[in-house]
Amino acid sequence: MLSYYCYLLCFTTLCLAEDPYVYFDWTLSYITASPLGVKQQVIGINGQFPGPILNVTTNWNVVVNVKNDLDEPMLLTWNGIQQRKDTWQDGVSGTNCPIPAGWNWTYEFQVKDQIGSFFYFPSLSFQRAAGGYGGITINNRNVIPLPFATPDGDITLFISDWFIKSHKELRKEIETGVGLGAPDGILINGLGPYHYDNAVVSGSIAYQTVNVEPGKTYRLRVHNVGVSTSLNFRIQSHNLLLVETEGSYTVQQNYTSLDIHVGQSYSFLVTMDQNASSDYYIVASPRFVNSSDSSKLVGVSVLHYSNSQGPASGPLPDPPMESDTFFSMSQARSIRWNVSAGAARPNPQGSFKYGEITVTDVFVLHNRPAELIEGKWRTTLSGISYLAPSTPLKLAEQFNIPGVFKLDFPNKMMNRPAKVDTSVINGTYKAFVEIIFQNNDTTVQSYHLDGYAFFVVGMDYGLWTENSRSTYNKWDGVARCTTQVFPGAWTAILVFLDNPGIWNLRAQNLDSWYLGQETYVSVVNPENSELPVPANTIFCGALSPLQKDQARRVNFSSAPSLTKTMKLIFIGFLASLLGSFMR
């Protein structure tokens, strides 16, 4: 009888339960590390650098309690998580007040209708250059099969350029017009290069070892979490079978190496099919960087078979030719959407036939190198350098605070001097928008849009014109959230504005972003379907008087939601019912 009622309790709870909740308690603080052999201050999470992996499944609810033990305000943003109808959890300056030093704040969001490989990082004050990042893995629900055999293991790799100067020093230099220059090195999972050459790398530097079993296939999720450097990723004597990028399954293609630009994420299947006479090099090397000694700017880790007979040896696998300016673009164009695969839902990804939808609005966004505007070094999009107001845009909209921002971002470059302004794109709900990024800078730039996956439909060198549309891929252009734009070139994307809120459109390169190369897209649903203001909202700027000095300085600020409370009541009711049967 007892086992029967226990079964009834479990069965009823499972039948009536909502999507699961997972909880994390994180403390962001400075820790000491020596990634390039020099002691420096980095940002760790619970003492880890890089931070922990958020490993969840489609539609799960994620609750992350964040304590800010830094000496300055911070926010975490969830790169690629769409935050459906919930701008409040996006963690950028236009949507959230910063978490003050010594305070706590709780993020609560659902990974609604998403799968794939993403990452999180601190979004303010150049802090990503000091760390604070980690991975996000969203697994398929069991009812949605993978479009490939289940891998034998799952491995996350963070590749990044790295500077020995602190993020505070770097941002001061950026403000005075001093460029970043070449990085001091390349890290893999927060560690420096393996000493593949004693003349180049000190043997005292700690490096990453990836342990594998012969004959098995692993899924490698590779994220470029760096400051401003495109990186070429490759593994000695192994093929990289590309299967997914930023939430979209791709046409499966083998690459010997792949250029991964700032803010981008890729999944590869790698089969351990070598004879293991030795370990193998895992390499991330910079692309398009002017340096007198590029050999010191290579990240090297070790792929170690369990039956390996010796250390990795010999020269590193060759990178692409730096003088071949078309290699990287041709490679980018080769990445296609797997239109026959299901993803977060059973229907094929290609069932959304984006090429058949009429475009309702067009924005041509021009960038330029940093320039002096009103006596300060700034970067621009279409001649406007974004000025973050003291009151976040979303809060100003919610509480009808006038004068905080203007919905007047231009569709094209205006014939006027560059200016500093808080100008926002006025997006129409459920409009289908074409955005062209025209890169007039001398370096590769990456651009990211929060709240959405967009279709990358075209890229080429030269100036975009109306005739460029004839080259667009209108069938299987990959859907993702971050795209590269090569110097002297353009990239075109299409995006369906079906997610109401205010969403950040930004340069992922930190130097460009920090100096103002961003804007926001305001998307208002007339039926007001957005989630309400969270109970734990932090108020700042014009809304500072609303802020109550709650117990965030000591305790995490999470409060149970109604759904969680109802679950507890329901389980208590079942428990009492079970008890009555036991009497």
Side-chain angles (χ1 to χ4, degrees), residues 160-212:
S160 65
D161 53 5
W162 190 257
F163 295 82
I164 292 175
K165 290 179 181 177
S166 72
H167 71 285
K168 296 178 183 178
E169 292 175 294
L170 291 173
R171 72 191 186 205
K172 282 183 181 178
E173 291 187 352
I174 292 296
E175 290 169 355
T176 59
V178 177
L180 288 171
D184 295 306
I186 305 299
L187 306 188
I188 299 180
N189 281 4
L191 297 172
Y194 169 72
H195 49 282
Y196 65 95
D197 184 338
N198 291 332
V200 177
V201 182
S202 167
S204 63
I205 293 178
Y207 59 88
Q208 175 75 39
T209 298
V210 176
N211 295 307
V212 294

Tab-separated table of all heavy atoms in Angstrom, residues 160-212:
chain	number	residue	atom	x	y	z
A	160	SER	N	40.571	32.613	-26.233
A	160	SER	CA	40.504	34.068	-26.070
A	160	SER	C	41.876	34.691	-26.179
A	160	SER	O	42.888	34.083	-25.785
A	160	SER	CB	39.899	34.430	-24.704
A	160	SER	OG	40.743	34.008	-23.649
A	161	ASP	N	41.896	35.921	-26.718
A	161	ASP	CA	43.104	36.715	-26.573
A	161	ASP	C	43.202	37.173	-25.118
A	161	ASP	O	42.209	37.176	-24.382
A	161	ASP	CB	43.110	37.901	-27.535
A	161	ASP	CG	41.858	38.778	-27.444
A	161	ASP	OD1	41.011	38.530	-26.568
A	161	ASP	OD2	41.730	39.714	-28.247
A	162	TRP	N	44.413	37.561	-24.696
A	162	TRP	CA	44.604	37.901	-23.281
A	162	TRP	C	45.668	38.986	-23.149
A	162	TRP	O	46.673	38.977	-23.860
A	162	TRP	CB	45.003	36.665	-22.486
A	162	TRP	CG	44.981	36.907	-21.000
A	162	TRP	CD1	46.041	37.113	-20.164
A	162	TRP	CD2	43.815	36.975	-20.174
A	162	TRP	NE1	45.616	37.306	-18.874
A	162	TRP	CE2	44.248	37.235	-18.844
A	162	TRP	CE3	42.451	36.865	-20.408
A	162	TRP	CZ2	43.358	37.371	-17.775
A	162	TRP	CZ3	41.568	37.001	-19.353
A	162	TRP	CH2	42.019	37.243	-18.050
A	163	PHE	N	45.394	39.908	-22.229
A	163	PHE	CA	46.315	40.995	-21.932
A	163	PHE	C	46.743	40.915	-20.474
A	163	PHE	O	45.921	40.615	-19.595
A	163	PHE	CB	45.650	42.344	-22.191
A	163	PHE	CG	45.299	42.588	-23.630
A	163	PHE	CD1	44.132	42.058	-24.180
A	163	PHE	CD2	46.137	43.330	-24.448
A	163	PHE	CE1	43.803	42.272	-25.506
A	163	PHE	CE2	45.824	43.549	-25.785
A	163	PHE	CZ	44.663	43.012	-26.309
A	164	ILE	N	48.007	41.170	-20.226
A	164	ILE	CA	48.500	41.154	-18.850
A	164	ILE	C	48.029	42.394	-18.093
A	164	ILE	O	47.821	42.354	-16.878
A	164	ILE	CB	50.042	41.017	-18.841
A	164	ILE	CG1	50.433	39.624	-19.359
A	164	ILE	CG2	50.610	41.234	-17.439
A	164	ILE	CD1	51.924	39.412	-19.520
A	165	LYS	N	47.813	43.490	-18.800
A	165	LYS	CA	47.240	44.668	-18.143
A	165	LYS	C	45.839	44.354	-17.651
A	165	LYS	O	45.107	43.570	-18.264
A	165	LYS	CB	47.200	45.849	-19.120
A	165	LYS	CG	48.552	46.427	-19.460
A	165	LYS	CD	48.414	47.580	-20.446
A	165	LYS	CE	49.774	48.160	-20.805
A	165	LYS	NZ	49.657	49.228	-21.820
A	166	SER	N	45.436	44.987	-16.559
A	166	SER	CA	44.099	44.764	-16.009
A	166	SER	C	43.042	45.383	-16.918
A	166	SER	O	43.339	46.247	-17.765
A	166	SER	CB	43.992	45.380	-14.619
A	166	SER	OG	43.948	46.799	-14.707
A	167	HIS	N	41.804	44.959	-16.739
A	167	HIS	CA	40.725	45.532	-17.541
A	167	HIS	C	40.566	47.020	-17.267
A	167	HIS	O	40.168	47.786	-18.153
A	167	HIS	CB	39.409	44.787	-17.284
A	167	HIS	CG	38.787	45.033	-15.946
A	167	HIS	ND1	39.267	44.469	-14.781
A	167	HIS	CD2	37.723	45.805	-15.569
A	167	HIS	CE1	38.526	44.851	-13.767
A	167	HIS	NE2	37.593	45.662	-14.212
A	168	LYS	N	40.918	47.467	-16.068
A	168	LYS	CA	40.815	48.894	-15.742
A	168	LYS	C	41.882	49.694	-16.493
A	168	LYS	O	41.611	50.793	-16.990
A	168	LYS	CB	40.955	49.099	-14.232
A	168	LYS	CG	39.832	48.457	-13.428
A	168	LYS	CD	40.058	48.644	-11.927
A	168	LYS	CE	38.988	47.935	-11.119
A	168	LYS	NZ	39.221	48.072	-9.664
A	169	GLU	N	43.083	49.144	-16.580
A	169	GLU	CA	44.141	49.812	-17.343
A	169	GLU	C	43.789	49.853	-18.822
A	169	GLU	O	43.998	50.877	-19.502
A	169	GLU	CB	45.470	49.077	-17.148
A	169	GLU	CG	46.053	49.179	-15.755
A	169	GLU	CD	47.296	48.327	-15.602
A	169	GLU	OE1	47.180	47.079	-15.682
A	169	GLU	OE2	48.389	48.905	-15.424
A	170	LEU	N	43.260	48.749	-19.339
A	170	LEU	CA	42.925	48.689	-20.754
A	170	LEU	C	41.861	49.716	-21.112
A	170	LEU	O	41.960	50.412	-22.134
A	170	LEU	CB	42.453	47.283	-21.122
A	170	LEU	CG	43.512	46.180	-21.098
A	170	LEU	CD1	42.856	44.816	-21.311
A	170	LEU	CD2	44.589	46.414	-22.159
A	171	ARG	N	40.835	49.837	-20.287
A	171	ARG	CA	39.762	50.774	-20.634
A	171	ARG	C	40.241	52.227	-20.539
A	171	ARG	O	39.787	53.080	-21.309
A	171	ARG	CB	38.522	50.512	-19.794
A	171	ARG	CG	38.582	50.907	-18.344
A	171	ARG	CD	37.398	50.356	-17.565
A	171	ARG	NE	37.383	50.847	-16.195
A	171	ARG	CZ	36.815	50.219	-15.181
A	171	ARG	NH1	36.223	49.043	-15.375
A	171	ARG	NH2	36.819	50.747	-13.967
A	172	LYS	N	41.157	52.520	-19.622
A	172	LYS	CA	41.711	53.872	-19.553
A	172	LYS	C	42.485	54.206	-20.820
A	172	LYS	O	42.393	55.320	-21.351
A	172	LYS	CB	42.629	54.000	-18.330
A	172	LYS	CG	41.891	54.176	-17.012
A	172	LYS	CD	42.884	54.361	-15.860
A	172	LYS	CE	42.154	54.521	-14.534
A	172	LYS	NZ	43.105	54.653	-13.390
A	173	GLU	N	43.251	53.239	-21.306
A	173	GLU	CA	44.008	53.479	-22.532
A	173	GLU	C	43.077	53.674	-23.722
A	173	GLU	O	43.314	54.536	-24.578
A	173	GLU	CB	44.976	52.321	-22.778
A	173	GLU	CG	46.115	52.267	-21.767
A	173	GLU	CD	47.155	51.219	-22.113
A	173	GLU	OE1	46.912	50.438	-23.065
A	173	GLU	OE2	48.209	51.181	-21.454
A	174	ILE	N	42.022	52.872	-23.768
A	174	ILE	CA	41.054	53.005	-24.858
A	174	ILE	C	40.442	54.404	-24.842
A	174	ILE	O	40.246	55.037	-25.887
A	174	ILE	CB	39.949	51.929	-24.724
A	174	ILE	CG1	40.512	50.536	-24.978
A	174	ILE	CG2	38.797	52.209	-25.671
A	174	ILE	CD1	41.018	50.317	-26.362
A	175	GLU	N	40.141	54.895	-23.665
A	175	GLU	CA	39.528	56.223	-23.544
A	175	GLU	C	40.444	57.336	-24.036
A	175	GLU	O	39.963	58.396	-24.454
A	175	GLU	CB	39.140	56.488	-22.089
A	175	GLU	CG	37.975	55.637	-21.594
A	175	GLU	CD	37.788	55.728	-20.085
A	175	GLU	OE1	38.636	56.384	-19.422
A	175	GLU	OE2	36.825	55.156	-19.559
A	176	THR	N	41.745	57.123	-23.975
A	176	THR	CA	42.697	58.159	-24.392
A	176	THR	C	43.155	57.976	-25.835
A	176	THR	O	44.079	58.662	-26.293
A	176	THR	CB	43.930	58.159	-23.468
A	176	THR	OG1	44.561	56.874	-23.512
A	176	THR	CG2	43.525	58.478	-22.041
A	177	GLY	N	42.542	57.064	-26.564
A	177	GLY	CA	42.862	56.882	-27.964
A	177	GLY	C	43.998	55.924	-28.235
A	177	GLY	O	44.435	55.772	-29.386
A	178	VAL	N	44.503	55.262	-27.193
A	178	VAL	CA	45.560	54.262	-27.374
A	178	VAL	C	44.911	52.936	-27.753
A	178	VAL	O	44.091	52.404	-27.003
A	178	VAL	CB	46.396	54.101	-26.088
A	178	VAL	CG1	47.442	53.003	-26.276
A	178	VAL	CG2	47.058	55.416	-25.707
A	179	GLY	N	45.239	52.405	-28.907
A	179	GLY	CA	44.649	51.139	-29.325
A	179	GLY	C	45.126	49.978	-28.482
A	179	GLY	O	46.158	50.053	-27.800
A	180	LEU	N	44.395	48.894	-28.526
A	180	LEU	CA	44.763	47.714	-27.746
A	180	LEU	C	46.087	47.119	-28.212
A	180	LEU	O	46.868	46.604	-27.407
A	180	LEU	CB	43.665	46.649	-27.850
A	180	LEU	CG	42.363	46.915	-27.105
A	180	LEU	CD1	41.329	45.871	-27.490
A	180	LEU	CD2	42.590	46.903	-25.595
A	181	GLY	N	46.339	47.149	-29.504
A	181	GLY	CA	47.529	46.493	-30.034
A	181	GLY	C	47.385	44.981	-29.977
A	181	GLY	O	46.313	44.434	-29.688
A	182	ALA	N	48.465	44.288	-30.243
A	182	ALA	CA	48.442	42.823	-30.211
A	182	ALA	C	48.297	42.343	-28.768
A	182	ALA	O	48.842	42.946	-27.842
A	182	ALA	CB	49.720	42.262	-30.826
A	183	PRO	N	47.570	41.262	-28.539
A	183	PRO	CA	47.458	40.721	-27.176
A	183	PRO	C	48.788	40.150	-26.713
A	183	PRO	O	49.722	39.955	-27.494
A	183	PRO	CB	46.400	39.629	-27.317
A	183	PRO	CG	46.477	39.207	-28.752
A	183	PRO	CD	46.853	40.430	-29.522
A	184	ASP	N	48.869	39.870	-25.410
A	184	ASP	CA	50.088	39.266	-24.849
A	184	ASP	C	50.119	37.761	-25.053
A	184	ASP	O	51.175	37.136	-24.921
A	184	ASP	CB	50.189	39.588	-23.353
A	184	ASP	CG	50.370	41.075	-23.104
A	184	ASP	OD1	51.311	41.655	-23.676
A	184	ASP	OD2	49.561	41.660	-22.354
A	185	GLY	N	49.000	37.169	-25.352
A	185	GLY	CA	48.950	35.733	-25.580
A	185	GLY	C	47.534	35.285	-25.861
A	185	GLY	O	46.591	36.077	-25.867
A	186	ILE	N	47.385	33.984	-26.101
A	186	ILE	CA	46.086	33.365	-26.355
A	186	ILE	C	45.873	32.280	-25.299
A	186	ILE	O	46.752	31.438	-25.072
A	186	ILE	CB	46.023	32.734	-27.764
A	186	ILE	CG1	46.367	33.780	-28.840
A	186	ILE	CG2	44.649	32.124	-28.001
A	186	ILE	CD1	45.438	34.966	-28.900
A	187	LEU	N	44.716	32.310	-24.656
A	187	LEU	CA	44.388	31.322	-23.623
A	187	LEU	C	43.407	30.289	-24.157
A	187	LEU	O	42.578	30.576	-25.021
A	187	LEU	CB	43.763	31.998	-22.393
A	187	LEU	CG	44.514	33.151	-21.726
A	187	LEU	CD1	43.814	33.525	-20.428
A	187	LEU	CD2	45.972	32.808	-21.485
A	188	ILE	N	43.508	29.085	-23.633
A	188	ILE	CA	42.502	28.040	-23.839
A	188	ILE	C	42.058	27.584	-22.455
A	188	ILE	O	42.865	27.114	-21.657
A	188	ILE	CB	43.052	26.864	-24.662
A	188	ILE	CG1	43.499	27.348	-26.055
A	188	ILE	CG2	41.993	25.765	-24.796
A	188	ILE	CD1	44.058	26.254	-26.950
A	189	ASN	N	40.779	27.781	-22.161
A	189	ASN	CA	40.207	27.500	-20.838
A	189	ASN	C	40.966	28.217	-19.721
A	189	ASN	O	41.218	27.658	-18.651
A	189	ASN	CB	40.142	25.994	-20.576
A	189	ASN	CG	38.951	25.348	-21.274
A	189	ASN	OD1	38.217	26.025	-22.014
A	189	ASN	ND2	38.752	24.065	-21.073
A	190	GLY	N	41.325	29.468	-20.000
A	190	GLY	CA	41.960	30.290	-18.980
A	190	GLY	C	43.408	29.960	-18.706
A	190	GLY	O	43.999	30.497	-17.755
A	191	LEU	N	44.006	29.092	-19.511
A	191	LEU	CA	45.392	28.668	-19.296
A	191	LEU	C	46.243	29.027	-20.514
A	191	LEU	O	45.749	29.139	-21.634
A	191	LEU	CB	45.457	27.164	-19.039
A	191	LEU	CG	44.731	26.664	-17.781
A	191	LEU	CD1	44.710	25.142	-17.738
A	191	LEU	CD2	45.367	27.223	-16.519
A	192	GLY	N	47.532	29.172	-20.269
A	192	GLY	CA	48.471	29.567	-21.310
A	192	GLY	C	48.876	28.413	-22.196
A	192	GLY	O	48.351	27.297	-22.099
A	193	PRO	N	49.854	28.645	-23.067
A	193	PRO	CA	50.234	27.625	-24.051
A	193	PRO	C	51.110	26.516	-23.482
A	193	PRO	O	51.948	26.752	-22.602
A	193	PRO	CB	50.995	28.424	-25.110
A	193	PRO	CG	51.545	29.602	-24.369
A	193	PRO	CD	50.531	29.930	-23.310
A	194	TYR	N	50.893	25.326	-23.988
A	194	TYR	CA	51.798	24.192	-23.766
A	194	TYR	C	53.175	24.567	-24.315
A	194	TYR	O	53.291	25.208	-25.360
A	194	TYR	CB	51.222	22.968	-24.476
A	194	TYR	CG	52.153	21.782	-24.556
A	194	TYR	CD1	52.452	21.030	-23.428
A	194	TYR	CD2	52.717	21.412	-25.779
A	194	TYR	CE1	53.295	19.925	-23.518
A	194	TYR	CE2	53.554	20.316	-25.881
A	194	TYR	CZ	53.846	19.574	-24.741
A	194	TYR	OH	54.682	18.490	-24.826
A	195	HIS	N	54.252	24.112	-23.615
A	195	HIS	CA	55.606	24.489	-24.034
A	195	HIS	C	56.071	23.606	-25.205
A	195	HIS	O	56.928	22.752	-25.074
A	195	HIS	CB	56.588	24.425	-22.861
A	195	HIS	CG	56.526	23.161	-22.062
A	195	HIS	ND1	55.555	22.912	-21.127
A	195	HIS	CD2	57.324	22.067	-22.061
A	195	HIS	CE1	55.753	21.724	-20.575
A	195	HIS	NE2	56.819	21.191	-21.132
A	196	TYR	N	55.462	23.903	-26.361
A	196	TYR	CA	55.794	23.151	-27.570
A	196	TYR	C	57.154	23.547	-28.129
A	196	TYR	O	57.756	22.813	-28.906
A	196	TYR	CB	54.712	23.365	-28.634
A	196	TYR	CG	54.611	24.786	-29.142
A	196	TYR	CD1	55.269	25.174	-30.302
A	196	TYR	CD2	53.867	25.744	-28.454
A	196	TYR	CE1	55.193	26.477	-30.772
A	196	TYR	CE2	53.783	27.042	-28.914
A	196	TYR	CZ	54.441	27.406	-30.070
A	196	TYR	OH	54.360	28.711	-30.507
A	197	ASP	N	57.627	24.733	-27.699
A	197	ASP	CA	58.922	25.221	-28.180
A	197	ASP	C	59.555	25.999	-27.037
A	197	ASP	O	59.048	27.058	-26.652
A	197	ASP	CB	58.718	26.104	-29.411
A	197	ASP	CG	60.040	26.567	-30.034
A	197	ASP	OD1	61.070	26.582	-29.320
A	197	ASP	OD2	60.041	26.930	-31.220
A	198	ASN	N	60.650	25.475	-26.486
A	198	ASN	CA	61.282	26.114	-25.324
A	198	ASN	C	61.761	27.527	-25.624
A	198	ASN	O	61.907	28.349	-24.706
A	198	ASN	CB	62.455	25.270	-24.829
A	198	ASN	CG	61.995	23.970	-24.202
A	198	ASN	OD1	60.885	23.890	-23.676
A	198	ASN	ND2	62.823	22.935	-24.270
A	199	ALA	N	61.999	27.836	-26.879
A	199	ALA	CA	62.439	29.182	-27.229
A	199	ALA	C	61.289	30.178	-27.236
A	199	ALA	O	61.509	31.387	-27.229
A	199	ALA	CB	63.115	29.170	-28.605
A	200	VAL	N	60.059	29.656	-27.234
A	200	VAL	CA	58.886	30.522	-27.338
A	200	VAL	C	58.074	30.539	-26.054
A	200	VAL	O	57.599	31.587	-25.614
A	200	VAL	CB	57.997	30.067	-28.523
A	200	VAL	CG1	56.727	30.907	-28.603
A	200	VAL	CG2	58.773	30.149	-29.829
A	201	VAL	N	57.920	29.374	-25.412
A	201	VAL	CA	57.029	29.241	-24.258
A	201	VAL	C	57.808	28.720	-23.062
A	201	VAL	O	58.545	27.732	-23.165
A	201	VAL	CB	55.858	28.279	-24.573
A	201	VAL	CG1	54.915	28.185	-23.380
A	201	VAL	CG2	55.117	28.731	-25.812
A	202	SER	N	57.605	29.357	-21.925
A	202	SER	CA	58.225	28.889	-20.683
A	202	SER	C	57.582	27.591	-20.230
A	202	SER	O	56.357	27.425	-20.283
A	202	SER	CB	58.062	29.962	-19.599
A	202	SER	OG	58.369	29.437	-18.333
A	203	GLY	N	58.395	26.684	-19.741
A	203	GLY	CA	57.877	25.404	-19.259
A	203	GLY	C	57.120	25.512	-17.961
A	203	GLY	O	56.487	24.548	-17.522
A	204	SER	N	57.138	26.682	-17.327
A	204	SER	CA	56.454	26.849	-16.042
A	204	SER	C	54.995	27.274	-16.190
A	204	SER	O	54.263	27.358	-15.203
A	204	SER	CB	57.191	27.892	-15.198
A	204	SER	OG	57.169	29.163	-15.843
A	205	ILE	N	54.568	27.548	-17.412
A	205	ILE	CA	53.183	28.000	-17.640
A	205	ILE	C	52.245	26.792	-17.621
A	205	ILE	O	52.489	25.790	-18.303
A	205	ILE	CB	53.072	28.760	-18.973
A	205	ILE	CG1	53.856	30.081	-18.893
A	205	ILE	CG2	51.624	29.021	-19.332
A	205	ILE	CD1	53.836	30.876	-20.172
A	206	ALA	N	51.171	26.898	-16.851
A	206	ALA	CA	50.174	25.821	-16.803
A	206	ALA	C	49.365	25.819	-18.097
A	206	ALA	O	49.040	26.877	-18.648
A	206	ALA	CB	49.258	26.018	-15.609
A	207	TYR	N	49.035	24.609	-18.592
A	207	TYR	CA	48.288	24.485	-19.837
A	207	TYR	C	47.161	23.474	-19.663
A	207	TYR	O	47.128	22.688	-18.702
A	207	TYR	CB	49.213	24.068	-20.984
A	207	TYR	CG	49.935	22.752	-20.759
A	207	TYR	CD1	49.349	21.533	-21.125
A	207	TYR	CD2	51.195	22.721	-20.165
A	207	TYR	CE1	50.001	20.338	-20.909
A	207	TYR	CE2	51.854	21.524	-19.943
A	207	TYR	CZ	51.254	20.336	-20.312
A	207	TYR	OH	51.902	19.136	-20.088
A	208	GLN	N	46.226	23.503	-20.601
A	208	GLN	CA	45.055	22.634	-20.566
A	208	GLN	C	45.360	21.287	-21.211
A	208	GLN	O	45.935	21.230	-22.304
A	208	GLN	CB	43.897	23.298	-21.317
A	208	GLN	CG	42.648	22.441	-21.461
A	208	GLN	CD	41.863	22.342	-20.171
A	208	GLN	OE1	41.740	23.309	-19.438
A	208	GLN	NE2	41.323	21.166	-19.895
A	209	THR	N	44.961	20.199	-20.550
A	209	THR	CA	45.019	18.861	-21.139
A	209	THR	C	43.604	18.329	-21.271
A	209	THR	O	42.834	18.338	-20.304
A	209	THR	CB	45.853	17.905	-20.282
A	209	THR	OG1	47.202	18.381	-20.211
A	209	THR	CG2	45.861	16.506	-20.860
A	210	VAL	N	43.242	17.893	-22.470
A	210	VAL	CA	41.930	17.311	-22.729
A	210	VAL	C	42.116	15.803	-22.846
A	210	VAL	O	42.776	15.312	-23.770
A	210	VAL	CB	41.316	17.896	-24.010
A	210	VAL	CG1	39.983	17.213	-24.317
A	210	VAL	CG2	41.131	19.403	-23.881
A	211	ASN	N	41.570	15.052	-21.910
A	211	ASN	CA	41.730	13.594	-21.870
A	211	ASN	C	40.614	12.908	-22.653
A	211	ASN	O	39.425	13.200	-22.444
A	211	ASN	CB	41.716	13.114	-20.418
A	211	ASN	CG	42.911	13.626	-19.637
A	211	ASN	OD1	44.058	13.460	-20.038
A	211	ASN	ND2	42.642	14.284	-18.509
A	212	VAL	N	40.995	11.990	-23.537
A	212	VAL	CA	40.017	11.299	-24.381
A	212	VAL	C	40.362	9.819	-24.461
A	212	VAL	O	41.473	9.395	-24.119
A	212	VAL	CB	39.988	11.902	-25.802
A	212	VAL	CG1	39.478	13.330	-25.767
A	212	VAL	CG2	41.365	11.838	-26.460
